[in-house]
Amino acid sequence: MISTYFKTIVTLTFTMLFLLSNAQVKKETNAKNWPNGAQLVISVSMQFETGGQPEGAESPFSGNPLPKGQPDLPAESWFRYGANEGIYRMLDLWKKYNIKVTSHVVGEAAVKYPEITKAIAEGGHEIAAHGMSWNNQWNMNYADELAFVKKGIDTVAAITGKRGVGYNANWLRRSPNTLKVLQELGFLYHIDDLSRDEPFITKVNGKNFVVMPYTLRNNDIVNVEGKHWSPDQFLVQLKMEFDQLYVEGVAKRRMMSISFHDRIGGTPAMVNAMDSFIKYAKNKKGVVFMRKDDIAKMVQNDPKTPIDNAEEKYNK
């Protein structure tokens, strides 16, 4: 009887020690992934583009374009929705949950709507660069591209007092010179890359440059506007992506990127879907919402940040 009792006590003791040890290992594993100890970092982009679009830009009407020179008034009103309603509705949502996002601002949008651009900055959100207008960079020479990027960032900085350190090219279509241009202008990171689910370092002229991978999967312009997903389909996508990355985050560094555009993500149904997702995500431990510049600064000199020089031939 005593022997059985003793064996039971020993078994329970070793079981408890194993569980505690296993929990400690998991805790230590998490702490080693992100410098701030998070299990999953979520970064939201809020693109402000109203007024920066060229004639015939992508819209619900661009599949049936009007003759060149003829103003497409319904399309222009669709873009204005982002300034009139979308940005303010999203700002209210971020404020509700004390979330800070990254807003890539087109220079011409800032000029036409300086009060909106200032409201984004005054809300504690990151003001990042998105060119002076919707214009291709892939076909610019070095000097022209540098002037284009510089004009955009200088314009927005003059309005907000915030000089961006992150960049997003029009439809991600940068040139082979873009990262060298950004480095020359003092940028910290860019987002025009889809190759990983975590930030990484690439060498530009031998120096560290941070890449904050963007998303086409959790992107309203691609899926809601482009593929005509309903907001509830988009919400399911966010939850499924979150669930998988959260599990992976136990063993390795994971970042979830979400992209909203003023005229699409700022609609009532999309904000409602995002509200539901935020509640869902915040219900899990170790989930942190962060601005992209803060993430980039956190990982820039971290020896655990991967170095990927897949584009080395362009960045010398």
Side-chain angles (χ1 to χ4, degrees):
M1 184 74 175
I2 294 176
S3 177
T4 302
Y5 178 79
F6 179 78
K7 288 180 180 179
T8 302
I9 293 297
V10 170
T11 300
L12 289 173
T13 300
F14 275 105
T15 300
M16 290 178 65
L17 288 172
F18 173 80
L19 292 174
L20 288 171
S21 176
N22 192 46
Q24 183 64 26
V25 167
K26 286 186 176 181
K27 182 178 179 182
E28 289 174 358
T29 300
N30 283 341
K32 291 178 181 177
N33 296 333
W34 286 99
N36 62 357
Q39 182 166 331
L40 178 62
V41 168
I42 301 176
S43 184
V44 180
S45 296
M46 180 179 69
Q47 314 301 66
F48 182 36
E49 302 173 333
T50 303
Q53 73 277 3
E55 180 181 347
E58 299 90 347
S59 78
F61 309 95
S62 57
N64 185 25
L66 296 178
K68 190 170 180 60
Q70 177 70 37
D72 191 339
L73 300 181
E76 291 178 11
S77 73
W78 182 73
F79 280 101
R80 287 198 303 274
Y81 185 91
N84 292 335
E85 303 280 2
I87 289 290
Y88 288 117
R89 183 175 286 118
M90 285 190 284
L91 286 176
D92 287 343
L93 178 64
W94 314 140
K95 185 176 181 180
K96 176 180 177 181
Y97 291 102
N98 192 29
I99 289 173
K100 305 304 179 187
V101 304
T102 291
S103 186
H104 287 87
V105 179
V106 173
E108 289 182 0
V111 170
K112 292 177 181 177
Y113 301 96
E115 70 285 355
I116 296 177
T117 311
K118 291 176 183 177
I120 297 171
E122 289 167 1
H125 305 291
E126 178 190 0
I127 297 293
H130 201 12
M132 186 61 203
S133 61
W134 286 21
N135 200 0
N136 293 328
Q137 289 178 229
W138 58 265
N139 56 354
M140 292 183 182
N141 62 40
Y142 191 98
D144 289 344
E145 186 172 11
L146 188 143
F148 173 79
V149 175
K150 186 176 187 304
K151 184 177 181 182
I153 195 65
D154 287 350
T155 298
V156 176
I159 293 170
T160 64
K162 307 287 185 182
R163 189 171 188 82
V165 296
Y167 197 75
N168 173 211
N170 182 36
W171 273 111
L172 286 72
R173 303 297 280 274
R174 52 194 166 91
S175 82
N177 290 322
T178 300
L179 299 196
K180 290 177 285 189
V181 165
L182 296 178
Q183 186 187 72
E184 182 174 341
L185 292 173
F187 282 84
L188 170 65
Y189 75 88
H190 82 107
I191 70 170
D192 303 320
D193 186 286
L194 305 167
S195 66
R196 290 177 181 263
D197 288 317
E198 65 178 306
F200 63 93
I201 298 293
T202 193
K203 297 288 184 178
V204 179
N205 289 322
K207 298 179 181 178
N208 283 2
F209 194 83
V210 182
V211 182
M212 297 288 296
Y214 196 49
T215 179
L216 298 183
R217 303 185 302 270
N218 309 316
N219 190 316
D220 60 353
I221 199 170
V222 173
N223 291 320
V224 176
E225 184 58 29
K227 299 177 183 176
H228 306 295
W229 283 11
S230 63
D232 61 329
Q233 286 176 298
F234 192 76
L235 176 59
V236 169
Q237 163 69 22
L238 293 183
K239 287 182 175 180
M240 293 182 73
E241 182 108 349
F242 172 87
D243 288 345
Q244 182 62 33
L245 291 176
Y246 187 76
V247 170
E248 292 178 9
V250 173
K252 54 187 174 181
R253 187 176 293 180
R254 300 284 80 179
M255 181 183 78
M256 181 176 179
S257 179
I258 302 172
S259 177
F260 273 20
H261 293 72
D262 47 19
R263 61 206 174 275
I264 305 167
T267 59
M270 284 295 288
V271 166
N272 185 285
M274 188 61 183
D275 188 298
S276 296
F277 172 73
I278 293 171
K279 291 175 184 174
Y280 182 80
K282 280 184 168 288
N283 195 42
K284 296 289 184 73
K285 294 180 179 179
V287 176
V288 181
F289 287 81
M290 294 182 68
R291 296 169 24 155
K292 287 179 171 59
D293 58 341
D294 290 333
I295 300 172
K297 291 171 186 175
M298 183 170 66
V299 305
Q300 182 183 24
N301 298 308
D302 182 358
K304 298 188 186 312
T305 302
I307 296 176
D308 185 339
N309 288 318
E311 298 180 357
E312 182 179 13
K313 63 181 179 180
Y314 305 118
N315 296 329
K316 293 180 179 178

